[in-house]
PDB file of all heavy atoms in Angstrom:
ATOM      1  N   CYS A 350     169.199 159.607 105.750  1.00 91.00           N
ATOM      2  CA  CYS A 350     167.986 160.209 106.285  1.00 91.00           C
ATOM      3  C   CYS A 350     166.863 159.223 106.052  1.00 91.00           C
ATOM      4  O   CYS A 350     166.991 158.289 105.301  1.00 91.00           O
ATOM      5  CB  CYS A 350     167.725 161.538 105.593  1.00 91.00           C
ATOM      6  SG  CYS A 350     166.469 162.545 106.409  1.00 91.00           S
ATOM      7  N   ARG A 351     165.714 159.449 106.687  1.00 87.00           N
ATOM      8  CA  ARG A 351     164.643 158.471 106.557  1.00 87.00           C
ATOM      9  C   ARG A 351     164.046 158.496 105.147  1.00 87.00           C
ATOM     10  O   ARG A 351     163.606 157.480 104.603  1.00 87.00           O
ATOM     11  CB  ARG A 351     163.526 158.780 107.579  1.00 87.00           C
ATOM     12  CG  ARG A 351     163.984 158.489 109.007  1.00 87.00           C
ATOM     13  CD  ARG A 351     162.842 158.570 109.956  1.00 87.00           C
ATOM     14  NE  ARG A 351     162.136 159.800 109.811  1.00 87.00           N
ATOM     15  CZ  ARG A 351     160.853 160.003 109.994  1.00 87.00           C
ATOM     16  NH1 ARG A 351     160.103 158.930 110.264  1.00 87.00           N
ATOM     17  NH2 ARG A 351     160.286 161.172 109.885  1.00 87.00           N
ATOM     18  N   SER A 352     164.002 159.682 104.549  1.00 89.00           N
ATOM     19  CA  SER A 352     163.558 159.768 103.167  1.00 89.00           C
ATOM     20  C   SER A 352     164.180 161.034 102.570  1.00 89.00           C
ATOM     21  O   SER A 352     164.818 161.804 103.279  1.00 89.00           O
ATOM     22  CB  SER A 352     162.064 159.802 103.080  1.00 89.00           C
ATOM     23  OG  SER A 352     161.581 160.936 103.758  1.00 89.00           O
ATOM     24  N   ALA A 353     163.993 161.236 101.265  1.00 92.00           N
ATOM     25  CA  ALA A 353     164.481 162.462 100.627  1.00 92.00           C
ATOM     26  C   ALA A 353     163.446 163.546 100.871  1.00 92.00           C
ATOM     27  O   ALA A 353     162.372 163.518 100.267  1.00 92.00           O
ATOM     28  CB  ALA A 353     164.717 162.251  99.159  1.00 92.00           C
ATOM     29  N   HIS A 354     163.743 164.495 101.806  1.00 92.00           N
ATOM     30  CA  HIS A 354     162.734 165.469 102.219  1.00 92.00           C
ATOM     31  C   HIS A 354     162.706 166.679 101.291  1.00 92.00           C
ATOM     32  O   HIS A 354     161.816 167.495 101.346  1.00 92.00           O
ATOM     33  CB  HIS A 354     162.998 165.944 103.647  1.00 92.00           C
ATOM     34  CG  HIS A 354     162.739 164.875 104.667  1.00 92.00           C
ATOM     35  ND1 HIS A 354     163.726 164.190 105.340  1.00 92.00           N
ATOM     36  CD2 HIS A 354     161.576 164.336 105.090  1.00 92.00           C
ATOM     37  CE1 HIS A 354     163.202 163.325 106.141  1.00 92.00           C
ATOM     38  NE2 HIS A 354     161.884 163.351 106.016  1.00 92.00           N
ATOM     39  N   GLY A 355     163.753 166.806 100.454  1.00 92.00           N
ATOM     40  CA  GLY A 355     163.838 168.001  99.586  1.00 92.00           C
ATOM     41  C   GLY A 355     164.270 169.181 100.371  1.00 92.00           C
ATOM     42  O   GLY A 355     164.921 169.069 101.388  1.00 92.00           O
ATOM     43  N   LYS A 356     163.872 170.370  99.938  1.00 94.00           N
ATOM     44  CA  LYS A 356     164.302 171.607 100.577  1.00 94.00           C
ATOM     45  C   LYS A 356     163.592 171.771 101.923  1.00 94.00           C
ATOM     46  O   LYS A 356     162.365 171.679 101.993  1.00 94.00           O
ATOM     47  CB  LYS A 356     163.956 172.779  99.635  1.00 94.00           C
ATOM     48  CG  LYS A 356     164.575 174.090 100.043  1.00 94.00           C
ATOM     49  CD  LYS A 356     164.386 175.137  98.914  1.00 94.00           C
ATOM     50  CE  LYS A 356     164.194 176.482  99.445  1.00 94.00           C
ATOM     51  NZ  LYS A 356     163.687 177.397  98.398  1.00 94.00           N
ATOM     52  N   GLN A 357     164.358 171.974 102.947  1.00 94.00           N
ATOM     53  CA  GLN A 357     163.793 172.046 104.311  1.00 94.00           C
ATOM     54  C   GLN A 357     164.280 173.279 105.045  1.00 94.00           C
ATOM     55  O   GLN A 357     165.454 173.578 105.041  1.00 94.00           O
ATOM     56  CB  GLN A 357     164.226 170.800 105.124  1.00 94.00           C
ATOM     57  CG  GLN A 357     163.782 169.464 104.553  1.00 94.00           C
ATOM     58  CD  GLN A 357     162.391 169.089 105.013  1.00 94.00           C
ATOM     59  OE1 GLN A 357     162.118 169.018 106.191  1.00 94.00           O
ATOM     60  NE2 GLN A 357     161.488 168.918 104.041  1.00 94.00           N
ATOM     61  N   ASN A 358     163.314 173.994 105.693  1.00 94.00           N
ATOM     62  CA  ASN A 358     163.759 175.034 106.634  1.00 94.00           C
ATOM     63  C   ASN A 358     163.669 174.433 108.032  1.00 94.00           C
ATOM     64  O   ASN A 358     163.378 173.255 108.215  1.00 94.00           O
ATOM     65  CB  ASN A 358     162.935 176.325 106.499  1.00 94.00           C
ATOM     66  CG  ASN A 358     161.463 176.079 106.852  1.00 94.00           C
ATOM     67  OD1 ASN A 358     161.116 175.034 107.435  1.00 94.00           O
ATOM     68  ND2 ASN A 358     160.614 177.040 106.501  1.00 94.00           N
ATOM     69  N   LEU A 359     163.918 175.254 109.047  1.00 95.00           N
ATOM     70  CA  LEU A 359     164.034 174.739 110.428  1.00 95.00           C
ATOM     71  C   LEU A 359     162.754 174.034 110.867  1.00 95.00           C
ATOM     72  O   LEU A 359     162.779 172.920 111.404  1.00 95.00           O
ATOM     73  CB  LEU A 359     164.413 175.891 111.388  1.00 95.00           C
ATOM     74  CG  LEU A 359     164.468 175.498 112.880  1.00 95.00           C
ATOM     75  CD1 LEU A 359     165.568 174.510 113.125  1.00 95.00           C
ATOM     76  CD2 LEU A 359     164.671 176.716 113.754  1.00 95.00           C
ATOM     77  N   ILE A 360     161.604 174.743 110.650  1.00 95.00           N
ATOM     78  CA  ILE A 360     160.346 174.151 111.164  1.00 95.00           C
ATOM     79  C   ILE A 360     160.036 172.858 110.443  1.00 95.00           C
ATOM     80  O   ILE A 360     159.669 171.876 111.064  1.00 95.00           O
ATOM     81  CB  ILE A 360     159.212 175.184 110.926  1.00 95.00           C
ATOM     82  CG1 ILE A 360     159.445 176.398 111.847  1.00 95.00           C
ATOM     83  CG2 ILE A 360     157.844 174.560 111.239  1.00 95.00           C
ATOM     84  CD1 ILE A 360     158.481 177.533 111.649  1.00 95.00           C
ATOM     85  N   GLU A 361     160.244 172.875 109.123  1.00 94.00           N
ATOM     86  CA  GLU A 361     160.010 171.614 108.391  1.00 94.00           C
ATOM     87  C   GLU A 361     160.923 170.507 108.850  1.00 94.00           C
ATOM     88  O   GLU A 361     160.482 169.362 109.060  1.00 94.00           O
ATOM     89  CB  GLU A 361     160.226 171.894 106.881  1.00 94.00           C
ATOM     90  CG  GLU A 361     159.131 172.757 106.289  1.00 94.00           C
ATOM     91  CD  GLU A 361     159.557 173.363 104.935  1.00 94.00           C
ATOM     92  OE1 GLU A 361     160.794 173.547 104.719  1.00 94.00           O
ATOM     93  OE2 GLU A 361     158.667 173.626 104.129  1.00 94.00           O
ATOM     94  N   ALA A 362     162.167 170.886 109.058  1.00 95.00           N
ATOM     95  CA  ALA A 362     163.160 169.844 109.461  1.00 95.00           C
ATOM     96  C   ALA A 362     162.770 169.232 110.794  1.00 95.00           C
ATOM     97  O   ALA A 362     162.891 168.026 111.006  1.00 95.00           O
ATOM     98  CB  ALA A 362     164.553 170.477 109.563  1.00 95.00           C
ATOM     99  N   LEU A 363     162.281 170.071 111.742  1.00 95.00           N
ATOM    100  CA  LEU A 363     161.871 169.534 113.027  1.00 95.00           C
ATOM    101  C   LEU A 363     160.601 168.683 112.877  1.00 95.00           C
ATOM    102  O   LEU A 363     160.522 167.559 113.443  1.00 95.00           O
ATOM    103  CB  LEU A 363     161.619 170.674 114.022  1.00 95.00           C
ATOM    104  CG  LEU A 363     162.857 171.337 114.640  1.00 95.00           C
ATOM    105  CD1 LEU A 363     162.486 172.622 115.400  1.00 95.00           C
ATOM    106  CD2 LEU A 363     163.573 170.367 115.589  1.00 95.00           C
TER     107      LEU A 363
END
Side-chain angles (χ1 to χ4, degrees):
Chain A
C350 193
R351 291 190 306 149
S352 61
H354 292 106
K356 191 171 147 193
Q357 298 276 302
N358 65 12
L359 177 64
I360 294 174
E361 289 163 333
L363 283 169

